[in-house]
Amino acid sequence: MQTASYLTPEALTTFIRTALAEDVGDGDHSSRAAIPATARNRAHLLVKGEGVLAGVELAQLIFAEVDAALQVEVRLNDGARVQHGDVAFVVEGPARSILTAERLVLNCMQRMSGIATYTANLQQKLAGTRARLLDTRKTTPNFRLCEKWAVLIGGGTNHRYGLFDMIMLKDNHVDYAGGIRQAIEATHTYLRELGRQLPIEVETRTLAEVQQALEVGGIDRIMLDNMSPAQMQEAVALVADRFPLEASGGITEQTIAEVAATGVDYISVGALTHSADSLDMSLKAF
């Protein structure tokens, strides 16, 4: 399994049980009505597109949660490049249980594989630069765990998981606080009083704000929000490696290579998780 602090057994079990409760409710009456309780069958996960496979490990956990008697033979692992006709795994066991797990497995794997595919495609465009591709908090409610996991599988890097594990002083924070200096100084006071140490990132909209962030210091990263590549290059020269720089705001597949060439350290792309197309696949009896 990918290494990430949020991928704990407890978090995964909670996600799976909540998702199953949403889908199954008081029972899979379709399967109970049509399939004998003693029936045993098998099915394979058929890939119907091209991309990067993601969600195989999660699928195994889902099958195990639905019915410990289900056996999964993995043929392709997470991160594998796949094409139409590939079989990711075969599941065998109680037929009712296969059918009960089917939709949750597909919903997760199709979405995760789409995200992993898009992430891998964008990551390739950063080749030869120092830039690392980041995701954002622009995720589907209650599905963030899977979406950020898919970014890792696709070769990207997770940004903060939520509001609790990093301080990001964005434009509204800065404006409400009265400016860059006030926001940073208030943050240091807050952390001292709280007795916590959290990374601090400040968002800047202009080169003047970048200069202000440099003057105040006491931060871990500067975000360059919605700046042009020319402005980013100026910011890179201005900062001169004193702090890591993150480019953000409307960066697309068409513009990401130009942004990476400016010399920024990170590029965050919300579209990784909010706009990636799902990868088509199905669970077929055979």
Side-chain angles (χ1 to χ4, degrees):
M1 183 178 293
Q2 295 282 150
T3 301
S5 61
Y6 56 87
L7 290 175
T8 64
E10 295 77 14
L12 289 162
T13 298
T14 297
F15 165 73
I16 293 169
R17 289 179 178 174
T18 301
L20 286 171
E22 175 185 60
D23 196 35
V24 179
D26 69 349
D28 175 3
H29 299 301
S30 303
S31 297
R32 288 181 181 180
I35 310 298
T38 56
R40 292 181 62 86
N41 288 93
R42 59 181 182 170
H44 59 220
L45 193 289
L46 180 65
V47 178
K48 300 164 72 177
E50 294 186 4
V52 175
L53 187 66
V56 175
E57 290 189 48
L58 179 59
Q60 294 177 81
L61 295 175
I62 293 170
F63 285 124
E65 181 65 34
V66 169
D67 190 338
L70 291 173
Q71 300 295 315
V72 181
E73 176 196 340
V74 175
R75 296 186 178 178
L76 293 169
N77 293 311
D78 287 330
R81 280 278 177 182
V82 293
Q83 58 187 0
H84 192 286
D86 284 343
V87 172
F89 59 74
V90 174
V91 58
E92 184 172 0
R96 286 182 178 180
S97 298
I98 293 174
L99 295 171
T100 298
E102 175 184 4
R103 180 45 50 196
L104 179 56
V105 166
L106 287 173
N107 285 349
C108 291
M109 290 194 64
Q110 287 178 304
R111 180 78 181 132
M112 289 179 69
S113 297
I115 291 170
T117 299
Y118 190 43
T119 300
N121 291 344
L122 289 189
Q123 186 68 40
Q124 288 180 344
K125 296 180 181 296
L126 305 185
T129 73
R130 66 194 289 179
R132 296 170 64 186
L133 182 63
L134 301 179
D135 56 21
T136 71
R137 284 173 49 244
K138 296 177 182 177
T139 55
T140 308
N142 297 321
F143 200 60
R144 180 173 295 177
L145 180 150
C146 296
E147 290 174 341
K148 283 188 169 281
W149 188 1
V151 168
L152 289 183
I153 292 170
T157 300
N158 292 151
H159 209 325
R160 58 177 177 163
Y161 189 78
L163 292 170
F164 56 87
D165 57 359
M166 181 178 184
I167 289 180
M168 184 182 290
L169 302 173
K170 296 183 69 86
D171 53 355
N172 285 338
H173 297 95
V174 169
D175 290 343
Y176 284 170
I180 296 279
R181 177 175 294 278
Q182 294 92 325
I184 295 174
E185 291 178 348
T187 295
H188 282 288
T189 299
Y190 170 79
L191 289 175
R192 281 196 302 271
E193 293 174 349
L194 191 64
R196 293 282 300 277
Q197 289 185 331
L198 291 172
I200 302 171
E201 179 171 2
V202 61
E203 179 179 287
T204 59
R205 295 159 286 189
T206 65
L207 291 173
E209 287 190 338
V210 173
Q211 183 61 50
Q212 291 171 40
L214 290 174
E215 292 170 357
V216 179
I219 56 177
D220 297 280
R221 190 184 303 176
I222 296 173
M223 178 188 290
L224 310 176
D225 185 51
N226 282 300
M227 291 189 187
S228 68
Q231 289 174 308
M232 291 180 196
Q233 282 186 316
E234 288 188 60
V236 168
L238 181 63
V239 173
D241 288 330
R242 282 175 282 179
F243 298 105
L245 291 175
E246 174 187 335
S248 183
I251 297 167
T252 68
E253 194 169 357
Q254 290 70 41
T255 62
I256 193 168
E258 184 180 11
V259 171
T262 65
V264 296
D265 301 280
Y266 300 99
I267 301 175
S268 54
V269 179
L272 290 180
T273 51
H274 71 60
S275 294
D277 293 330
S278 293
L279 184 64
D280 193 15
M281 54 185 66
S282 60
L283 192 67
K284 290 293 187 183
F286 73 104

